[in-house]
């Protein structure tokens, strides 16, 4: 699925202060019913464009109209009436060969977001897309359809990333990712951070307080999505996304708010907050109507197929989990859930039926065991799968019993990188290896980072299944082939200022039919 190097389209970027005063008033498309023309105070495509969830005959296209992205009501400076938005898809970036077009209605109820589900495209093909409102034209995006299921593929490349705290650093990694030759980007959560704070590099959160209401979340997304590097990465390839905790609130679990900094909160109150967070998440990302939130509920877990090479199962490790433990001795309680009964059964049934060469889980919190204590004794984090050890054992035993081949997990959240063998019994280094996990670092969360830190030293010493560690910022690129897959850990040396270069810190190889890390090349 390789293509020629990406030529990024020209973009219009706006300063965080909003639209410059004196922007020309432009006429919008006539409303379908009345024919009236809607006056707009400025350029409406300030937040860029995106595509996502590709199938063999189409993708979903996204934009959100916002001539004044940081307007205090969270509606982006749009007039209080629906606006008709035209979209078109072409076989060339000059749009001489337009193959699909249509119209979507953007309304205040959904933050003037547009989600156009396009069908009838050819499989395994690059397309370009754009939007129009009257004489305004959006930036051009590049997307790609998936190959038909079971079609023989020789190669496929996707990046995965997570954790982009605006206050902690610049999104330089996305600038480099946009120049990669990728078929897909998988984002594993913490797209925004919900807290207030100004940080120390001049990228203070807006609003300056923690987000609770729908307006709060809309403004936070607008701030993040004004970042030109993030816009470039969205416009370069289709994305598959799933939320984690900070997209709602740190360390939330099921119907419960975070356990470590707040008193026990009425679950009904937290569900209201989650409903606001889910709606803003949907409004700002290229998700299909099947993921349209219904109040505090949203369908996150789903399955995508790419020829005979990749089955990608996107997980939801927040909505159905039990609360985090305060007593680590209970982590083997067989009643505790991470995925919930329904999602766990769906996942195992799908893995059993898979005919793909590589079976990849898009997972928010790491699944490998990670003892945090040097020397005698053990200590595990309670928010990761370590706090749900019995649920992990059920999953791993199910993978082993079903003889799932080439089982891989890609994970975010931890702000560090690890490649590890997944063991049927982590207490026994000689036990069966069922797969490999690639934990990926953050885009910016945690600040600059270092090549190696004290926790990394402890992890490698205490957890023999871990084969590589790094704690710099960046992203990961997975190259899938017939006989081998390779994950390149791409890192930047700093994020506290723009302009950092990118390099490959290490490449981790897995051979088809031989679970676990084959070797690491630095």
């Amino acid at each position: 699925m390789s293509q020629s190097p990406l030529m990024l389209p020209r973009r219009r970027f706006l300063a965080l202060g909003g639209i410059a005063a004196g922007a020309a008033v432009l006429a919008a498309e006539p409303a379908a019913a009345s024919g009236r023309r809607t006056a707009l105070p400025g350029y409406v495509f300030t937040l860029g464009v995106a595509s996502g969830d590709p199938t063999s005959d189409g993708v979903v296209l996204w934009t959100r109209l916002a001539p004044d992205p940081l307007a205090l009501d969270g509606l982006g400076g749009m007039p209080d009436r629906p606006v008709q938005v035209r979209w078109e898809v072409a076989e060339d970036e000059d749009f001489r060969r337009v193959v699909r077009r249509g119209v979507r209605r953007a309304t205040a109820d959904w933050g003037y977001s547009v989600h156009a589900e396009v069908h009838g495209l050819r499989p395994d093909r690059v397309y370009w897309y754009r939007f129009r409102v009257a004489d305004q034209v959006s930036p051009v995006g590049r997307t790609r359809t998936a190959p038909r299921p079971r079609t023989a593929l020789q190669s496929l490349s996707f990046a995965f990333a997570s954790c982009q705290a605006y206050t902690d650093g610049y999104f330089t990694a996305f600038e480099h990712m946009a120049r990669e030759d990728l078929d897909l980007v998988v984002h594993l959560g913490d797209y925004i951070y919900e807290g207030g704070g100004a940080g120390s590099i001049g990228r203070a959160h807006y609003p300056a307080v923690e987000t609770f209401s729908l307006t709060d979340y809309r403004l936070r997304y607008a701030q993040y999505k004004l970042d030109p590097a993030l816009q470039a990465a969205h416009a370069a390839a289709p994305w598959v996304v799933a939320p984690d905790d900070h997209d709602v609130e740190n360390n939330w679990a099921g119907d419960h708010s975070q356990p470590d900094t707040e008193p026990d909160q009425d679950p009904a109150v937290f569900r209201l907050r989650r409903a606001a967070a889910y709606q803003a998440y949907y409004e700002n990302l290229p998700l299909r109507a099947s993921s349209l939130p219904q109040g505090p509920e949203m369908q996150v877990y789903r399955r995508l197929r790419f020829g005979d090479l990749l089955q990608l199962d996107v997980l939801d490790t927040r909505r159905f989990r039990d609360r985090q433990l305060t007593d680590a001795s209970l982590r083997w309680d067989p009643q505790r859930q991470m995925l919930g009964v329904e999602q766990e059964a769906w996942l195992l049934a799908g893995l059993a039926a898979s005919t793909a060469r590589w079976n990849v889980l898009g997972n928010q919190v790491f699944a490998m065991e990670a003892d945090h204590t040097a020397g005698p004794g053990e200590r595990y984090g309670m928010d990761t799968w370590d706090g749900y050890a019995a649920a992990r054992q059920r999953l791993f035993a199910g993978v082993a019993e079903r003889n799932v081949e080439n089982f891989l997990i890609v994970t975010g959240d931890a702000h560090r990188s690890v490649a590890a063998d997944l063991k049927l019994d982590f207490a026994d280094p000689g036990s069966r290896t069922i797969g490999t996990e690639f934990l990926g670092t953050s885009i910016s969360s945690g600040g600059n980072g270092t090549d190696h830190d004290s926790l990394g030293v402890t992890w490698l010493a205490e957890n023999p299944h871990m084969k590589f560690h790094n704690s710099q910022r960046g992203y990961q690129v997975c190259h899938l082939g017939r006989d081998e897959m390779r994950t390149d850990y791409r890192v930047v040396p700093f994020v506290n200022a723009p302009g950092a270069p990118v390099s490959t810190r290490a490449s981790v190889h897995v051979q088809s039919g031989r679970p676990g890390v084959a070797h690491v090349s630095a």
Side-chain angles (χ1 to χ4, degrees):
M1 294 182 67
S2 60
Q3 288 289 315
S4 60
L6 173 65
M7 298 297 292
L8 291 177
R10 180 176 61 87
R11 290 174 174 77
R12 293 181 61 172
F13 297 124
L14 302 168
L16 272 183
I19 307 301
V25 176
L26 300 173
E29 179 139 354
S34 67
R36 292 181 299 174
R37 297 176 71 82
T38 303
L40 298 174
Y43 185 66
V44 297
F45 298 111
T46 60
L47 303 181
V49 299
S51 67
D53 277 17
T55 64
S56 59
D57 81 329
V59 295
V60 57
L61 306 180
W62 172 93
T63 193
R64 180 179 161 213
L65 309 182
D68 183 4
L70 301 181
L72 292 178
D73 63 359
L75 293 176
M78 289 294 293
D80 188 17
R81 62 181 61 174
V83 175
Q84 303 295 326
V85 182
R86 291 172 289 168
W87 58 266
E88 52 189 359
V89 177
E91 293 179 337
D92 65 302
E93 57 185 323
D94 294 323
F95 287 81
R96 295 190 183 95
R97 301 189 302 277
V98 174
V99 293
R100 288 291 183 275
R101 53 168 51 97
V103 179
R104 297 292 295 176
R105 189 168 178 259
T107 67
D109 288 346
W110 290 95
Y112 295 97
S113 62
V114 177
H115 298 76
E117 297 192 25
V118 184
H119 301 283
L121 302 179
R122 296 168 63 182
D124 195 12
R125 186 178 180 93
V126 170
Y127 290 94
W128 285 262
Y129 62 93
R130 65 187 178 188
F131 298 88
R132 291 178 180 268
V133 174
D135 57 352
Q136 296 190 28
V137 183
S138 75
V140 174
R142 174 187 182 273
T143 191
R144 184 170 194 139
T145 53
R148 287 193 181 96
R150 299 177 184 267
T151 299
L153 299 182
Q154 294 302 310
S155 64
L156 182 148
S157 296
F158 70 89
F160 70 95
S162 66
C163 303
Q164 53 213 48
Y166 189 88
T167 56
D168 283 2
Y170 288 85
F171 296 167
T172 312
F174 279 134
E175 182 180 338
H176 294 292
M177 183 191 291
R179 298 188 177 100
E180 301 270 6
D181 184 15
L182 299 172
D183 301 307
L184 187 71
V185 174
V186 181
H187 196 283
L188 297 170
D190 295 348
Y191 191 96
I192 64 163
Y193 277 67
E194 82 289 7
S200 60
I201 61 171
R203 283 165 67 91
H205 265 150
Y206 183 80
V209 296
E210 186 163 346
T211 54
F212 288 94
S213 69
L214 177 56
T215 297
D216 292 340
Y217 282 105
R218 282 172 168 170
L219 288 171
R220 187 62 54 84
Y221 275 99
Q223 179 187 40
Y224 276 57
K225 295 189 78 69
L226 282 168
D227 187 282
L230 179 56
Q231 288 195 20
H234 270 299
W239 284 39
V240 175
V241 301
D244 193 21
D245 56 339
H246 288 289
D247 302 293
V248 180
E249 179 189 35
N250 183 43
N251 286 353
W252 68 276
D255 285 339
H256 300 280
S257 60
Q258 72 181 59
D260 50 354
T261 61
E262 293 185 356
D264 195 28
Q265 189 179 69
D266 181 353
V269 175
F270 176 69
R271 283 195 292 271
L272 292 174
R273 182 180 188 180
R274 193 174 73 225
Y278 274 178
Q279 178 167 341
Y281 187 86
Y282 179 84
E283 289 174 354
N284 286 279
L285 287 162
L287 289 160
R288 294 184 177 274
S290 55
S291 293
L292 185 73
Q294 304 294 323
E297 307 301 329
M298 182 170 70
Q299 184 65 39
V300 171
Y301 68 85
R302 59 203 188 277
R303 179 169 293 125
L304 296 95
R305 298 181 176 89
F306 298 83
D308 70 342
L309 204 58
L310 170 63
Q311 176 172 298
L312 174 63
D313 289 327
V314 181
L315 301 186
D316 184 344
T317 60
R318 287 288 162 190
R319 177 64 194 91
F320 308 105
R321 65 160 67 190
D322 289 308
R323 298 191 76 175
Q324 293 92 342
L325 290 169
T326 56
D327 181 355
S329 68
L330 300 177
R331 68 193 194 99
W332 285 96
D333 180 351
Q335 301 303 313
R336 286 177 54 73
Q337 298 285 338
M338 172 63 93
L339 302 177
V341 174
E342 183 177 316
Q343 183 180 188
E344 188 176 297
W346 165 87
L347 175 59
L348 287 172
L351 289 171
S354 175
T355 58
R357 179 64 60 104
W358 301 96
N359 293 286
V360 179
L361 305 191
N363 171 60
Q364 289 77 40
V365 291
F366 62 77
M368 61 190 165
E369 188 170 270
D371 178 9
H372 288 56
T373 298
E378 297 175 345
R379 182 171 60 89
Y380 302 102
M382 292 296 101
D383 188 59
T384 70
W385 283 82
D386 273 337
Y388 303 79
R392 175 176 61 199
Q393 194 64 32
R394 285 196 307 272
L395 173 60
F396 285 11
V399 168
E401 291 164 3
R402 290 161 177 78
N403 294 313
V404 178
E405 293 187 354
N406 297 329
F407 177 66
L408 307 173
I409 300 179
V410 294
T411 303
D413 180 69
H415 309 171
R416 60 185 62 244
S417 296
V418 173
D421 294 345
L422 297 176
K423 309 295 289 186
L424 198 56
D425 181 0
F426 284 105
D428 177 10
S431 74
R432 178 179 173 182
T433 299
I434 64 160
T436 312
E437 181 167 23
F438 297 98
L439 171 62
T441 189
S442 63
I443 291 291
S444 62
S445 303
N448 288 339
T450 59
D451 184 67
H452 215 41
D453 62 8
S454 59
L455 180 58
V457 171
T458 297
W459 273 14
L460 291 176
E462 298 298 321
N463 304 279
H465 49 279
M466 296 184 183
K467 309 301 182 182
F468 166 74
H469 173 272
N470 173 267
S471 58
Q472 293 172 284
R473 307 284 77 85
Y475 59 96
Q476 300 67 229
V477 181
C478 297
H479 303 276
L480 306 182
R482 305 298 301 179
D483 300 321
E484 183 184 74
M485 71 85 61
R486 183 186 85 243
T487 297
D488 295 335
Y489 282 92
R490 304 277 281 160
V491 300
V492 293
F494 57 87
V495 294
N496 62 336
V502 71
S503 62
T504 299
R505 173 60 183 81
S507 295
V508 182
H509 302 255
V510 175
Q511 296 178 1
S512 178
R514 297 182 62 182
V517 174
H519 67 278
V520 179
S521 55

